[in-house]
Amino acid sequence: RMASKLPPGGRLVTMEVDPYHACISRSVLELSGMSSRAEIWIGHSEHLIPRLGERFGLECVNAIFFDQKGTRYHEDLDLLEDGLLAPGA
């Protein structure tokens, strides 16, 4: 649903630690016709968040939705606040 609400040129990047869930998600994206607007990266957030800047540049994140378990929330937010969040995000 999120991918379908993106403005023209917008991209959705999701991060999934479980390859099984990532595979299912990719299949759903293909079936929904949204695979050109969304990417699913496999791995842990502390390794993947820095790649956002490498792939899309600084201030590339306009919105963020956290759904992880455990205590990574603040650590992940710190990584995003290090130049990846766009003004007003």
Side-chain angles (χ1 to χ4, degrees):
R1 285 190 167 186
M2 288 179 169
S4 69
K5 302 299 181 189
L6 291 171
R11 295 286 297 165
L12 173 69
V13 175
T14 70
M15 299 175 188
E16 177 59 59
V17 71
D18 186 328
Y20 177 77
H21 290 141
C23 183
I24 291 171
S25 297
R26 286 181 176 146
S27 295
V28 170
L29 282 173
E30 283 294 327
L31 289 171
S32 69
M34 292 287 121
S35 61
S36 65
R37 304 188 77 189
E39 298 177 34
I40 299 172
W41 294 1
I42 301 173
H44 292 276
S45 56
E46 66 265 25
H47 301 124
L48 298 177
I49 289 174
R51 288 181 47 205
L52 287 168
E54 296 167 12
R55 175 83 187 275
F56 301 107
L58 295 177
E59 297 183 351
C60 62
V61 177
N62 292 301
I64 187 81
F65 173 76
F66 287 132
D67 188 27
Q68 72 264 55
K69 295 179 183 174
T71 58
R72 290 265 351 133
Y73 175 83
H74 289 96
E75 290 88 351
D76 288 349
L77 187 57
D78 287 342
L79 287 172
L80 288 163
E81 288 178 330
D82 193 23
L84 294 175
L85 292 177

